[in-house]
Amino acid sequence: MRSRGSASSSRKWTDRCSHRCPDTPPGLTEEEALRWALEDSAPQPVQPPPPPPPYNPWAAPPPPPAWATQPPPLAWAAQPPPPAWAAPPPPPPVATAMVWLLDDYYDRQHRAYHMADLGKVLEPLKLRYHGRMHDMPYDERYTEHIEPTGLLPFISLVSRGPPNMKAAAITALVDLWRPETHTFHLRAGEMTPTLQDVSMIYGLPIQGEPLCMNTASDGWRQQMEGLIGMAPPEPPKKSDRAPTGANYKWIKDHFSECPIGADRDTVRTYTRVYLWYVISRTLFADSGGKLAHWCWLKLDDACRRTGTMGIGGCMILLSVWSWERLPVGRPRVYNKRPWPHSENLNREPTWAYQWDNVSEMTNDPAVMYKQYTEELDTLTSEQVDWEPYGSRYHFGTAMGDLNPKCLEEAGFWLMRCPLICMRAVEYHMPHRVMRQFGLFQECPPDWQGMDRVLHRLDRKQQRKIQNWPDHHRNHVTAFQHCLDVVRNGGYVEVREFNDIAFNDYLRWFLDSTRIELVNHAYEEEMLDEPIMFDEVAQSQYDRLVRGGRSISIASSLNFVVIYSLIS
């Protein structure tokens, strides 16, 4: 039996179910209606939520919910913009990847390493240049045979005799040459002679076949006889080592002056000997200064020489390039010697004529070498004449009688290519020195790795290699390809010079190389500790000052630069 309470509760539950479930089917008894209500209110199995849509990184983000949307600020509550002087500074430029430009393979043999890191005192190098031509006068009959070779502007220049050159200044500059980049590393940035300088100073042609010949010396006397009609006699003793060339004295004794009334073939022979003589004494001077190698009839390793050996090559080019751009070692210019003008414009002077008559250095080369090294240590970009020939579209206008050959191949000046001369292969990389052209300097410049094998090619150590055209065939092909690209209108994208970009480049460059060869006045460790003035007074720098000795400003300036960077 049910109790009254139970019956009463059942009725109340039935009434609540009937009240809460108005959709109860009609015609059911109370018990059936109660059973129906209980079954309907039973918990149903939970359905899993639908999976989220796949992630789409390009889809727009969903809009924020209404409750997260902030109302716009009231007009009267808006804040005025900050004044211009209170604007935050612009964000710093994006840091460029740092590249250490010095390679230990070259640096351990470099003069700069021996001077700056090892503290050695080196002597200036000797110049391998023997360009006095007074004993081999130029004959006007040679002109018609020289002009087709493209060498007439150069021959007209050097046949007058070279300007006075300074071995001390050239050595101080060579100390800053880096084989890793083929540029000089100065505080002002990277600098180097380019094809522009070769054209403006020498007037030499850029196009044509590279100077790469077979140097096999077998039967060289017979070959020389076939070219000029005679050859030096063999040494009396077979055991004596005979040089593969002719002594300069032998050349002068037999070919100093072309006979009057000589026929065309004889004039051509004397012209060939004259070219051989001039090129051997200027461009490819022998270390002893006595021999003209026979192979020139068929027409950079100085920075690692720590002794008193010589440096050869294009000494006029390097000297005039330095005088035009750098104030260090620049001579005083006297009145020019008159130039023999003619109707043939190819006989007109090149840019080097600006330095035709300069002062001669009479001071001790060792003393001047030290002074030039100190001056280059403190040289800044503001002291460099970056564009001595004039700005773009105005090259050479400062010289009214400039030889037209100097500007004829200006379209090739920015060409990146290998430059080949017998065993030597050097890359022309104007993109590292775009400031010299008045153009935008990228930072860092595109890296061109130098082939160590090429730098190891030495005339003495690689005598077995004689067929240089075959040995360098890949570089010869690459050079011709670069010429074809320019001839076919290959476009080189250039931008105008920008001061901010060049300053960014300088900050990167100065942190990536060695630019100081002069030791600091004080040790850098003193910056980290309290200064003991009694100890500082005993340094070599202060002792020299007290003694009244002339001292270098470079040593103290380099120390001040370090101090400013640390602080």
Side-chain angles (χ1 to χ4, degrees):
M1 292 182 61
R2 300 182 192 176
S3 64
R4 293 179 63 94
S6 298
S8 173
S9 299
S10 176
R11 283 196 300 270
K12 291 179 180 179
W13 172 254
T14 304
D15 293 341
R16 262 197 318 270
C17 288
S18 301
H19 175 73
R20 292 179 61 187
C21 301
D23 56 345
T24 302
L28 298 178
T29 63
E30 291 184 5
E31 293 183 3
E32 293 174 345
L34 179 60
R35 190 180 297 112
W36 180 90
L38 292 174
E39 293 176 356
D40 184 63
S41 61
Q44 302 294 324
V46 180
Q47 299 294 330
Y55 172 70
N56 182 7
W58 308 109
W67 56 267
T69 305
Q70 298 293 332
L74 300 176
W76 56 267
Q79 298 294 327
W85 55 267
V94 178
T96 308
M98 300 301 294
V99 178
W100 184 250
L101 297 177
L102 306 186
D103 186 345
D104 285 345
Y105 173 81
Y106 303 108
D107 196 49
R108 296 305 179 187
Q109 307 174 49
H110 204 285
R111 289 175 62 91
Y113 172 77
H114 286 260
M115 296 169 65
D117 292 15
L118 302 184
K120 292 184 178 181
V121 178
L122 304 182
E123 297 295 325
L125 299 170
K126 298 178 182 179
L127 299 186
R128 293 181 185 175
Y129 187 87
H130 325 287
R132 301 295 178 184
M133 304 298 170
H134 303 298
D135 46 7
M136 286 282 287
Y138 183 82
D139 195 312
E140 290 297 332
R141 290 175 291 178
Y142 300 162
T143 301
E144 65 170 318
H145 301 288
I146 296 177
E147 191 164 15
T149 66
L151 299 177
L152 187 58
F154 171 75
I155 295 298
S156 300
L157 169 69
V158 299
S159 62
R160 295 167 53 87
N164 296 316
M165 293 178 289
K166 302 180 180 180
I170 292 178
T171 305
L173 190 60
V174 168
D175 290 343
L176 300 173
W177 177 261
R178 297 305 312 189
E180 299 92 337
T181 60
H182 288 178
T183 56
F184 297 108
H185 286 198
L186 298 95
R187 191 184 299 276
E190 291 179 88
M191 300 183 70
T192 189
T194 66
L195 290 177
Q196 180 193 49
D197 302 293
V198 175
S199 295
M200 297 296 292
I201 296 174
Y202 274 166
L204 289 174
I206 298 174
Q207 302 181 73
E209 295 292 330
L211 189 57
C212 195
M213 300 177 292
N214 192 315
T215 58
S217 59
D218 295 338
W220 68 271
R221 297 180 188 277
Q222 291 75 14
Q223 296 186 51
M224 184 180 292
E225 290 179 359
L227 291 170
I228 62 176
M230 62 178 68
E234 294 186 6
K237 297 181 180 179
K238 296 297 183 180
S239 59
D240 292 345
R241 180 173 175 269
T244 57
N247 189 286
Y248 289 140
K249 184 179 182 305
W250 181 88
I251 297 176
K252 289 182 291 184
D253 291 344
H254 294 83
F255 296 95
S256 59
E257 293 185 10
C258 184
I260 299 176
D263 57 19
R264 186 179 179 85
D265 291 338
T266 302
V267 173
R268 183 184 293 109
T269 299
Y270 274 76
T271 303
R272 172 172 284 169
V273 175
Y274 184 83
L275 285 176
W276 177 34
Y277 182 84
V278 170
I279 290 175
S280 299
R281 293 186 70 106
T282 55
L283 290 179
F284 312 111
D286 178 75
S287 59
K290 300 179 180 180
L291 184 70
H293 197 278
W294 78 274
C295 70
W296 301 124
L297 272 173
K298 300 188 293 182
L299 206 88
D300 120 56
D301 52 357
C303 63
R304 288 177 277 169
R305 296 174 181 169
T306 56
T308 58
M309 294 182 290
I311 172 177
C314 306
M315 292 293 100
I316 296 180
L317 175 67
L318 185 58
S319 296
V320 174
W321 176 88
S322 174
W323 298 340
E324 286 287 347
R325 300 178 185 273
L326 307 176
V328 179
R330 181 181 290 163
R332 183 182 297 108
V333 179
Y334 298 136
N335 293 331
K336 303 175 185 175
R337 296 171 294 173
W339 186 273
H341 298 284
S342 66
E343 297 181 357
N344 188 347
L345 296 181
N346 292 334
R347 292 292 306 275
E348 292 299 289
T350 66
W351 193 269
Y353 181 56
Q354 306 275 22
W355 305 90
D356 179 64
N357 189 18
V358 298
S359 60
E360 185 176 1
M361 187 187 72
T362 58
N363 297 332
D364 184 359
V367 175
M368 298 308 300
Y369 169 54
K370 180 180 179 181
Q371 177 178 330
Y372 295 145
T373 301
E374 295 168 353
E375 292 178 2
L376 287 174
D377 248 32
T378 60
L379 187 71
T380 62
S381 61
E382 294 79 12
Q383 299 167 336
V384 174
D385 187 355
W386 290 101
E387 301 175 72
Y389 313 123
S391 57
R392 283 205 306 165
Y393 311 114
H394 300 285
F395 289 130
T397 55
M399 186 173 174
D401 55 352
L402 182 66
N403 194 304
K405 291 291 184 181
C406 294
L407 301 174
E408 188 175 76
E409 297 180 311
F412 296 87
W413 288 349
L414 294 178
M415 181 176 62
R416 293 176 58 178
C417 62
L419 302 178
I420 309 163
C421 178
M422 306 299 285
R423 64 177 177 85
V425 177
E426 303 283 348
Y427 281 88
H428 181 245
M429 297 184 289
H431 67 289
R432 302 196 68 91
V433 293
M434 295 300 275
R435 181 68 181 91
Q436 294 182 196
F437 298 90
L439 299 176
F440 181 90
Q441 180 61 63
E442 62 179 359
C443 177
D446 184 30
W447 179 257
Q448 171 71 53
M450 298 295 105
D451 191 346
R452 294 181 180 180
V453 176
L454 292 177
H455 281 104
R456 285 199 297 264
L457 291 178
D458 183 84
R459 183 176 58 183
K460 295 181 179 180
Q461 298 179 3
Q462 272 75 32
R463 289 181 178 176
K464 294 182 179 180
I465 303 177
Q466 298 175 342
N467 190 356
W468 292 108
D470 180 71
H471 189 78
H472 289 325
R473 59 183 179 275
N474 293 337
H475 300 291
V476 173
T477 302
F479 174 74
Q480 294 296 345
H481 173 73
C482 294
L483 292 178
D484 292 338
V485 170
V486 178
R487 293 192 194 106
N488 296 331
Y491 178 70
V492 178
E493 182 180 0
V494 295
R495 289 183 287 174
E496 296 296 331
F497 173 75
N498 182 276
D499 282 322
I500 298 177
F502 187 71
N503 289 335
D504 292 341
Y505 157 79
L506 276 182
R507 282 193 291 269
W508 165 82
F509 174 72
L510 296 180
D511 287 336
S512 304
T513 186
R514 179 197 296 112
I515 59 170
E516 299 173 355
L517 303 187
V518 178
N519 293 328
H520 297 174
Y522 303 101
E523 297 294 335
E524 298 177 15
E525 288 74 10
M526 68 178 293
L527 299 175
D528 301 327
E529 303 174 356
I531 298 178
M532 305 300 293
F533 292 99
D534 290 340
E535 296 180 4
V536 173
Q538 302 305 318
S539 67
Q540 182 184 14
Y541 180 81
D542 285 311
R543 285 189 283 106
L544 291 177
V545 172
R546 288 195 301 272
R549 295 281 299 276
S550 176
I551 55 177
S552 164
I553 189 178
S555 58
S556 54
L557 177 62
N558 290 344
F559 178 79
V560 170
V561 171
I562 290 294
Y563 177 77
S564 63
L565 292 177
I566 294 177
S567 58

